[in-house]
Amino acid sequence: MKIIANETSGFQLRRFALLGMSGLGKTFISCNLAQKDNWSHYSVDYEIGKLLFKNQHKHFLDGFEIGNLTNLSNFLGKPGSPSMGGISFSEYLKRQQLHRDAEIKATLNASLLVGRSPELSHLVCDTSGSICELVNPANENDEILSSLSKSFLIICLEAPDSMYQVLIDRFLAKPKPMYYDENFLHSLWQNFGDSISGINDEINPDEFMIYGFKALIKRRKEIFDAISKNWGISLNFEQLRKVKCAADLIEIIQHEIVSEIKSQ
């Protein structure tokens, strides 16, 4: 189901949901809108942490803020040898499931926020980079995408292949934990173990995370492309580099909408 962008309440009331790979600028743009133009900034990653960091995990709240989400990565951990900072694969799966449940709730809560105040305007929903693992863009009844599209204009951030290599290079320099679709994760874990003929307690967690991240790049790009095609619009990296304030973002959104209408 293709959304007619300029007819959505999200566009008319300036409510935008930013989707895309981690590192493409969702949080940077959102923070700019909040700081320079006084927009409301709903960070899904931050809300995930607030849901997860309770009871025995509440110590992760120390220093946790929109500008510093490191503790969310620390909570997820990395599977592999404990002597190299890893955790067991079974424990990793448990934490992945907790993250999945929290991300679904935190994302849907963004629309509940709008539902309580339908006239709410100038709001940016800064989604998690793993939202693509939770949705089926080909399903017009997808719960998360349906909910978001009713409250926000969905905007997918895209980049040329060269930019994705930059993301890989950044990850190579500083590997960090990630969230994966469970079936995909099982497949990665099995294939990686087979490729090095290693057992779980001997696997280097950073090497596995690098292997997994490279596999995620192609997978997630294809899903985000489908989301923008069926549920919203896409803005490329060159356009996004020009965004300094809300007026800049609105201008390129309007330009993209006009281009889409002309191409139909």
Side-chain angles (χ1 to χ4, degrees):
M1 179 182 67
K2 179 63 178 178
I3 302 299
I4 303 175
N6 63 333
E7 295 181 5
T8 66
S9 60
F11 174 74
Q12 294 164 358
L13 292 175
R14 304 303 191 244
R15 296 194 301 253
F16 305 144
L18 304 183
L19 281 67
M21 286 283 294
S22 297
L24 288 182
K26 299 186 302 294
T27 298
F28 178 78
I29 292 171
S30 299
C31 287
N32 267 352
L33 295 179
Q35 295 167 6
K36 296 182 179 180
D37 298 282
N38 202 32
W39 282 42
S40 298
H41 177 187
Y42 183 93
S43 167
V44 172
D45 280 330
Y46 180 69
E47 297 299 322
I48 291 171
K50 287 166 59 178
L51 291 169
L52 289 176
F53 302 158
K54 297 178 179 179
N55 303 320
Q56 72 268 33
H57 301 304
K58 63 182 180 181
H59 62 282
F60 283 112
L61 285 172
D62 293 340
F64 184 68
E65 55 189 29
I66 292 177
N68 182 10
L69 300 169
T70 303
N71 279 352
L72 190 54
S73 295
N74 293 338
F75 170 82
L76 280 172
K78 297 174 282 191
S81 171
S83 66
M84 290 182 266
I87 60 177
S88 70
F89 189 68
S90 60
E91 176 61 26
Y92 188 64
L93 286 176
K94 291 178 183 178
R95 297 187 190 184
Q96 289 274 307
Q97 185 61 57
L98 289 173
H99 185 284
R100 174 186 173 84
D101 293 344
E103 183 173 351
I104 291 172
K105 184 173 183 179
T107 306
L108 292 175
N109 280 350
S111 295
L112 291 178
L113 176 65
V114 173
R116 290 191 292 268
S117 304
E119 299 306 312
L120 185 63
S121 64
H122 302 92
L123 168 65
V124 58
C125 177
D126 174 12
T127 67
S128 175
S130 53
I131 187 174
C132 59
E133 307 289 353
L134 309 177
V135 302
N136 177 4
N139 179 6
E140 65 179 23
N141 296 314
D142 184 89
E143 181 182 17
I144 292 175
L145 292 174
S146 294
S147 175
L148 280 179
S149 67
K150 290 175 182 176
S151 303
F152 300 88
L153 171 61
I154 292 177
I155 303 170
C156 289
L157 282 53
E158 62 177 22
D161 292 341
S162 58
M163 182 62 191
Y164 284 95
Q165 185 58 51
V166 170
L167 298 181
I168 292 174
D169 292 342
R170 289 175 182 172
F171 194 86
L172 288 171
K174 188 177 181 180
K176 64 179 181 179
M178 299 287 291
Y179 171 78
Y180 303 84
D181 170 80
E182 186 169 339
N183 291 331
F184 185 63
L185 176 58
H186 275 287
S187 176
L188 284 176
W189 186 249
Q190 182 65 49
N191 292 341
F192 184 74
D194 291 344
S195 71
I196 63 171
S197 300
I199 59 176
N200 292 1
D201 287 343
E202 297 177 353
I203 288 178
N204 183 312
D206 284 343
E207 289 181 358
F208 172 73
M209 298 309 291
I210 291 169
Y211 175 85
F213 186 77
K214 287 181 177 180
L216 277 180
I217 291 287
K218 181 178 179 181
R219 169 187 169 85
R220 289 189 171 181
K221 184 179 188 303
E222 291 174 350
I223 299 174
F224 281 123
D225 285 348
I227 293 173
S228 66
K229 179 180 178 181
N230 296 337
W231 293 91
I233 64 172
S234 64
L235 298 178
N236 65 51
F237 185 69
E238 290 304 315
Q239 291 173 307
L240 295 171
R241 290 178 63 181
K242 302 174 183 177
V243 173
K244 305 297 182 184
C245 61
D248 294 340
L249 180 60
I250 292 169
E251 181 179 353
I252 63 173
I253 289 172
Q254 289 174 324
H255 180 270
E256 183 62 28
I257 290 173
V258 171
S259 296
E260 285 201 2
I261 292 175
K262 288 182 177 179
S263 66
Q264 293 175 358

